[in-house]
Amino acid sequence: MASADSRRMGNGGGVGGAFQPYLDSLRQELQQGDPTLLSVVVALLAVLLTLVFWKFIRSRRSSQRAVLFVGLCDSGKTLLFVRLLTGLYRDTQTSITDSSAVYRVNNSRGASLTLIDLPGHESLRLQFLERFKASARAVVFVVDSAAFQREVKDVAEFLYQVLVDSMGLKNTPSFLIACNKQDITMAKSAKLIQQQLEKELNTLRVTRSAAPSTLDSSSAAPAQLGKKGKEFEFSQLPLKVEFLECSAKGGRGDAGSADVQDLEKWLAKIA
Amino acid sequence: MLDFFTIFSKGGLVLWCFQGVSDSCTGPVNALIRSVLLQERGGNNSFTHEALTLKYKLDNQFELVFVVGFQKILTLTYVDKLIDDVHRLFRDKYRTEIQQQSALSLLNGTFDFQNDFLRLLREAEESSKVRAPTTMKKFEDSEKAKKPVRSMIETRGEKPKEKAKNKKNKGSKKEGFDVPLATSKAVPAEKSVGADNGVELSKEELIRRKREEFIQKHGKGIDKSSKSTKSDAPKEKGKKAPRVWALGGCANKEDLDYSSPTTNGAPEASLPEDINLIRGTGPGGQLQDLDCSSSDDEGATQNPTKPSAAKGTLGGMFGMLKGLVGSKSLSREDMESVLDKMRDHLIAKNVAADIAVQLCESVANKLEGKVMGTFSTVTSTVKQALQESLVQILQPQRRVDMLRDIMDAQRHQRPYVVTFCGVNGVGKSTNLAKISFWLLENGFSVLIAACDTFRAGAVEQLRTHTRRLSTLHPPENHGGRTMVQLFEKGYGKDAAGIAMEAIAFARNQGFDVVLVDTAGRMQDNAPLMTALAKLITVNTPDLVLFVGEALVGNEAVDQLVKFNRALADHSMAQTPRLIDGIVLTKFDTIDDKVGAAISMTYITSKPIVFVGTGQTYCDLRSLNAKAVVAALMKA
């Protein structure tokens, strides 16, 4: 009983502010040479140290070094991922899970990033985005420029979701919209894609806020994209959204003709 | 013979590919992934895509997928064996490359597998060729036919005698005595050998073999009996559990009691007071949240940890120790009992029985061979996988932004047509009224087409709704434009014709949306189903919504399958119009038994567009997959 009491005292002394008297009593008891008390104090210290250490490691782990590749199915995320890592062409299939690898940026500092390729299928993408978004330093949203006209609504809807999600994060990631498949002749330019997306997101803002609320109460009113009462533009967002054109496949298939230099530069910039 | 054989990682990288013909294998394999692996339909491991049959195998330990494709008309018996052989060899050969977590080692690894594969393929083909003429023998090797055939071969001279003995054996088998059966078999065999010296096998050899057989059989019997007792125990447990849950099910009676605020029989004169009642309390455009679901939700987020903790004292500790000893890969036997429990749990939550079975099968496929984490138990791993699968199922496969599409139609100066269909009494008209209220709040004008020309009072019901809605949104508030109107032609007319007239009327009058209410019909009523199919083919609505009640259990499968089939059968088009989305009604009456949502989306893989949660006009919600899954997994 006595030892438990003093343990509480000792504990309180360690944490609280006015701990001088407790410390004195502790010293007294220590001088009495009570082995139980000593062992209890040591154990407590050990536990505290582990907790601090654990927290430290956890925070280290989530220090944001990840670059997420998101986008619809068949927009070329996995190939882009492969190109950046090896520079080679590989056949790909629809991804079922994520794949990640460390990427060494080619700038003076030689920093490294973790590239994470997320699956683009409708039933998976939100789950995986949820899982990885906290560790995101940057988000690369890959768009199929050749099929853009056909998919514009789906692209806009997913982009809306990703933007809202990443704006809700503590430190907002850099955002890049990579207009892939520029090697195809019918591909739309980045400029046009930007305009179309702005227009589409503008309408999407309206329809989304009018949609019936979900069954879940935890999600409060969704964050408003851009300024109210104004036509939506990407420049209104708190995070910087950049556009660039690239081609992961390249003109002649597997030869080293891929056009991803801009993307590499961008990655070097944000690293 | 084979069209292709491909090995790729679950991350989407093709590691190695064999192409028998020049066609690309990407298309069919993507179709396989999207329509089987990602839809949780992975019960059996084959899939037909156009003219090809694909067979696949998942390696969950190294996250690989093996797919083989061949022409549908061929029946290649060796394919299963080939996949297994290739799987084993590939795994052993490239263990170092595929073991790492990072995709980099996969990318840098060279998978020069061509020669090995060709060797395996040749072996498999040859073995199938050798076996081809002796297929009968293969059948005889099967356990059932083993005994009489062997005795026939061994005792050429004493056939009739043996036959009699066999009969006797069969008789004893029926009685179910394992031991006497085996001995009686062994003794005549010995005897017969003694009588017949011409057989090549020596006596001792034969005796030894028989003994082995006897031991095997005997052992098997013991195994079987022990297994049956084992499998009995979890079953009993599973049976007990739903009873407990069923008792806890009726928590919020107050929520279900709508008797007090009804406006039934209220005179039309007192409309202004009514309006607040029927309008509900929420602001129109942005609808309020459901209280009972929020409490459900809180409980649900905490609860998933609870059952494992409660069970954890013994099973959990044991599992954890097992995990600490070494990372163990999951086998099907490990999961058996947990999956049984999960299946019963899903069924208790009102998921249709066959769907629960298929789901568990698919989860088992997905987990088999997977290496568990150090601190995870089988139960938690299976639960986690199941939860992910459920969220995956509920995630809409197509965009469901109705307002966006209406805007598009508006720009093209044509009305957006929505047809509601479903069985009797599920709430088609009620939810149609709710949806029109929601559309009105968002500034779209609505024409309601009363195509239920059968049930007494159907038109009057819609007329009442229209009157109330137009009181809430009088033309004065919208610049003199009539916002909501009823289009009706009385009873007994052809529904398809009325719908067509209504659409034409809407186009002339500049209505934005036409909501077509159809008569409720049972899925087995052929003439009515034909009529519905006709209505849909003739009018080609933009959206066909199936209205289903959340109370439905196993019936959901039947309803949706038959509605879809009726629409497919009676349509002339190349790609028939099927159900585009689902309205789930009476969601407030089911507490946490939300299984119908899973059943319906699993069958159709179409999204649940709206959820009806009450009697007032603003009791309309959209589905939140996570909340539903949380309610579903709640013990």
Side-chain angles (χ1 to χ4, degrees), chain A residues 85-138:
Chain A
L85 288 169
T86 64
L88 299 173
Y89 175 82
R90 289 295 279 266
D91 285 324
T92 59
Q93 301 285 358
T94 305
S95 306
I96 303 172
T97 56
D98 60 292
S99 45
S100 64
V102 176
Y103 170 73
R104 203 153 280 285
V105 179
N106 50 356
N107 64 358
S108 52
R109 284 182 296 142
S112 65
L113 293 167
T114 312
L115 304 188
I116 303 179
D117 170 37
L118 303 185
H121 193 266
E122 293 92 340
S123 55
L124 293 174
R125 58 190 181 203
L126 292 181
Q127 265 188 70
F128 279 90
L129 186 66
E130 194 75 22
R131 196 182 300 168
F132 287 106
K133 70 180 182 188
S135 62
R137 183 184 190 80

Side-chain angles (χ1 to χ4, degrees), chain B residues 450-455 459 487-499 501 519 521 528 531 534-535:
Chain B
C451 294
D452 184 352
T453 56
F454 178 68
R455 178 173 64 94
V459 177
F487 188 91
E488 54 121 337
K489 292 279 172 203
Y491 292 97
K493 301 269 172 47
D494 174 38
I498 297 176
E501 283 176 44
R521 60 204 77 208
L528 282 179
K534 181 187 160 198
L535 190 149

Side-chain angles (χ1 to χ4, degrees), chain A residues 6 10 22-42 45:
Chain A
S6 58
Y22 297 109
L23 213 64
D24 283 341
S25 71
L26 193 71
R27 196 175 294 139
Q28 260 173 22
E29 290 205 35
L30 273 178
Q31 275 158 1
Q32 279 166 14
D34 188 357
T36 38
L37 181 71
L38 192 68
S39 56
V40 163
V41 168
V42 167
L45 270 176

Side-chain angles (χ1 to χ4, degrees), chain B residues 548-623:
Chain B
E549 51 182 3
L551 298 161
V552 79
N554 289 321
E555 179 79 353
V557 183
D558 197 42
Q559 282 180 10
L560 275 163
V561 166
K562 286 204 170 130
F563 264 85
N564 257 338
R565 188 176 304 147
L567 294 187
D569 285 353
H570 298 101
S571 123
M572 311 299 167
Q574 194 73 39
T575 49
R577 266 320 280 283
L578 300 179
I579 291 162
D580 295 314
I582 297 164
V583 180
L584 197 61
T585 64
K586 311 188 188 176
F587 202 74
D588 51 335
T589 61
I590 50 163
D591 199 28
D592 61 351
K593 295 203 185 342
V594 292
I598 296 284
S599 309
M600 289 185 183
T601 37
Y602 185 86
I603 299 162
T604 56
S605 63
K606 290 294 186 310
I608 292 177
V609 188
F610 297 109
V611 181
T613 56
Q615 303 292 316
T616 65
Y617 280 145
C618 59
D619 283 329
L620 195 66
R621 301 275 180 276
S622 59
L623 192 85

